[in-house]
Amino acid sequence: MIRLTGFLVVIAVFIACLSCQSEEEIKRQRYITEGILIYKNNCANCHQPKGEGLAELYPPIAKSDYLADKNQIICLMRYGQQGKIVVNGKSYNRPMPPQPQLSDLEIAELATYIYNEWGNETTVTDVKAVTPILKKCAESK
Ligand code: HEC
């Protein structure tokens, strides 16, 4: 009897875990789907549809070494970026315009898309994590 109970507990934990994972996965898919659309409408003109960038003008996002600092990327999506930067060994120096119309959620969806597609992530960048980062960079402006 004790064995059977133990067995049932193991099964129950296993099933609970399966469903929690798939909830996270559904969220990830939702963020990515939205992220693709937002990227097309707000970013692809410059950075190009596959994130490959454009000549000397617009740096690539795909495989960009700049992605290493996610807080900075989250901030630049809303507040823009100015001054010389070096991306994958190449210099760029053109202002990226701010996009104050992007909501915290939209920025989280963009970050999830970008880091799943062009970084090495397989997880969600949750809006709950993005909001405090955006607050902080607003204060330092
Ligand atoms: C009008 C053109 C333009 C648009 C629109 C634009 N960017 Fe940029 N972006 C730039 C330029 C130019 C730079 C380099 C800025 C510099 O030289 O300091 C840049 C830099 C970046 C960088 C850091 C460098 C790199 O390539 O990794 C990221 C990430 C980025 N942009 C993401 C985005 C995202 C996401 C969007 C959409 C929300 C977007 N950009 C919209 C022009 C643009």
Side-chain angles (χ1 to χ4, degrees):
M1 190 58 199
I2 291 170
R3 264 206 203 146
L4 180 64
T5 316
F7 178 70
L8 288 177
V9 167
V10 169
I11 296 280
V13 168
F14 180 68
I15 291 172
C17 204
L18 273 185
S19 68
C20 75
Q21 266 184 356
S22 63
E23 249 171 57
E24 189 64 19
E25 180 55 20
I26 290 166
K27 189 174 186 180
R28 188 175 77 105
Q29 294 299 341
R30 202 182 64 221
Y31 266 57
I32 290 176
T33 308
E34 291 298 322
I36 291 172
L37 280 177
I38 303 162
Y39 180 83
K40 278 198 183 129
N41 292 334
N42 300 279
C43 323
N45 267 355
C46 295
H47 293 284
Q48 304 300 296
K50 295 200 167 78
E52 70 270 35
L54 187 69
E56 316 295 317
L57 303 176
Y58 306 121
I61 302 179
K63 309 268 181 269
S64 157
D65 54 7
Y66 222 76
L67 294 182
D69 187 346
K70 198 194 270 188
N71 289 15
Q72 195 175 0
I73 299 295
I74 285 170
C75 290
L76 76 74
M77 286 195 245
R78 179 172 291 161
Y79 296 104
Q81 151 75 35
Q82 294 200 14
K84 187 182 142 187
I85 61 171
V86 178
V87 180
N88 298 345
K90 206 168 142 179
S91 307
Y92 298 85
N93 193 356
R94 245 175 184 260
M96 167 169 156
Q99 309 229 30
Q101 82 283 5
L102 295 173
S103 69
D104 292 11
L105 178 61
E106 286 172 320
I107 289 178
E109 289 165 340
L110 269 170
T112 302
Y113 168 56
I114 286 171
Y115 280 87
N116 276 259
E117 184 76 13
W118 297 313
N120 291 320
E121 289 190 4
T122 53
T123 50
V124 170
T125 302
D126 202 285
V127 64
K128 287 194 201 108
V130 164
T131 297
I133 296 169
L134 285 169
K135 275 215 182 94
K136 236 184 179 175
C137 53
E139 281 159 13
S140 62
K141 290 276 149 189

